[in-house]
Amino acid sequence: MMRTRQPTSTLEDQRIPVQAKLAAAWTSLMFFYIYIDYFHLYKPGSIDQIRSGEIFVFDISGPLLTIFVVVIGIPALMVMLSMTLPARVNRATNLVVASLYIPVTVFNAASTTWEWASFYALSIGIEVLLLAFILRSAWTWPRTAPSATMPTSRDADRAQQQA
């Protein structure tokens, strides 16, 4: 006896709020940052350079580590801010911060040699893709049309002038 295939049900695509998309992208970027930093330790000489008190061409110091905390702390805060800020401020904050982080991310290529170019190109490429997703999501944030019963700013201006 032959069985006929039953049609499978279609999976439902739930609409994901922009805030959740942004928080997920910042979270992905944070996880990726930590793994790339960890993998960097496998680069021959990295640990020896750190033990000698240097990172790239910078002496390891309190101010340098403070800069690192700021550079990594901002995306960490963006996870929470993306879920809690009001839409208008949220959109602007994500556009500004993601735009500023593209050059910060690309700066990581400064310490590379041709031998490590593929590692840095791929890691920086993924980081820039995540930042581009953040920019696109914030830029295309859905807008709501004003309702017919809500006064527009023009109506409020007219009412104020007539008073």
Side-chain angles (χ1 to χ4, degrees), residues 109-131:
S111 66
T112 193
T113 61
W114 280 111
E115 180 185 4
W116 294 93
S118 60
F119 171 78
Y120 286 99
L122 186 58
S123 62
I124 290 168
I126 291 170
E127 290 168 5
V128 169
L129 280 174
L130 287 165
L131 290 165

Side-chain angles (χ1 to χ4, degrees), residues 36-51:
I36 293 305
D37 285 349
Y38 176 76
F39 292 151
H40 176 79
L41 296 175
Y42 287 104
K43 187 176 174 183
S46 289
I47 294 174
D48 292 334
Q49 186 182 25
I50 292 168
R51 284 186 180 152

Side-chain angles (χ1 to χ4, degrees), residues 37-78:
D37 285 349
Y38 176 76
F39 292 151
H40 176 79
L41 296 175
Y42 287 104
K43 187 176 174 183
S46 289
I47 294 174
D48 292 334
Q49 186 182 25
I50 292 168
R51 284 186 180 152
S52 73
E54 285 187 355
I55 297 175
F56 180 43
V57 295
F58 304 106
D59 290 333
I60 297 173
S61 64
L64 181 66
L65 294 181
T66 302
I67 290 168
F68 289 172
V69 168
V70 170
V71 166
I72 219 64
I74 291 171
L77 287 171
M78 288 305 297

Side-chain angles (χ1 to χ4, degrees), residues 84-143:
T84 58
L85 287 175
R88 174 171 263 149
V89 176
N90 199 337
R91 179 179 185 262
T93 303
N94 273 279
L95 289 171
V96 169
V97 174
S99 296
L100 293 173
Y101 264 74
I102 290 175
V104 169
T105 298
V106 173
F107 177 75
N108 286 322
S111 66
T112 193
T113 61
W114 280 111
E115 180 185 4
W116 294 93
S118 60
F119 171 78
Y120 286 99
L122 186 58
S123 62
I124 290 168
I126 291 170
E127 290 168 5
V128 169
L129 280 174
L130 287 165
L131 290 165
F133 176 83
I134 291 166
L135 287 169
R136 183 179 174 277
S137 297
W139 186 259
T140 61
W141 196 299
R143 299 180 188 287

